[in-house]
Amino acid sequence: MLLRLNAADARPLHEQVAGAIRRAIAEGECAPGDRLPPARELSQALGVNANTVLRGLRTLRDEGVLEFRRGRGVTVADGADQRSDLVEQVRALVADAARRGYSKADIIAIIEGDS
């Protein structure tokens, strides 16, 4: 799995790590059931602290994209390719809305049909 971070990206590093893994899954580099390299290996490859990588991995676990299994490491969850793509689209929507002056609460109100 080849991951890269963009030095010009203003997002926190852990979000960039999570985004890079999401992209790898969405582009088919990682399939459901595949094991990810250990966090220490990923941190060395990306040039960031291992805790930064772990924070990104926990974010993806909380989104249902990754599974942490004792003794088996971190694996890509079933259906992660679809969830990963959807999460990227939602994040892009939120970023675009913020540039246009909308808050997350505004977006939620639009989705719920209150606006």
Side-chain angles (χ1 to χ4, degrees), residues 48-68:
V48 298
N49 187 289
N51 288 323
T52 300
V53 171
L54 288 169
R55 188 169 176 191
L57 294 175
R58 283 192 297 268
T59 297
L60 295 173
R61 177 199 59 198
D62 294 346
E63 292 173 1
V65 173
L66 298 178
E67 295 176 342
F68 289 23

Side-chain angles (χ1 to χ4, degrees), residues 14-104:
H14 70 277
E15 289 180 15
Q16 291 183 48
V17 169
I21 295 170
R22 272 190 216 98
R23 269 190 303 282
I25 293 168
E27 292 174 1
E29 282 187 58
C30 298
D34 286 354
R35 271 182 79 178
L36 267 58
R40 184 168 287 142
E41 256 182 59
L42 288 173
S43 71
Q44 289 172 347
L46 295 171
V48 298
N49 187 289
N51 288 323
T52 300
V53 171
L54 288 169
R55 188 169 176 191
L57 294 175
R58 283 192 297 268
T59 297
L60 295 173
R61 177 199 59 198
D62 294 346
E63 292 173 1
V65 173
L66 298 178
E67 295 176 342
F68 289 23
R69 299 258 170 101
R70 194 173 302 252
R72 291 188 56 207
V74 178
T75 58
V76 178
D78 288 333
D81 47 351
Q82 295 166 350
R83 278 192 292 270
S84 179
D85 186 44
L86 179 61
V87 168
E88 276 298 312
Q89 290 177 19
V90 169
R91 288 187 188 278
L93 170 67
V94 170
D96 186 41
R99 282 190 295 275
R100 297 171 189 251
Y102 290 94
S103 69
K104 289 179 186 178

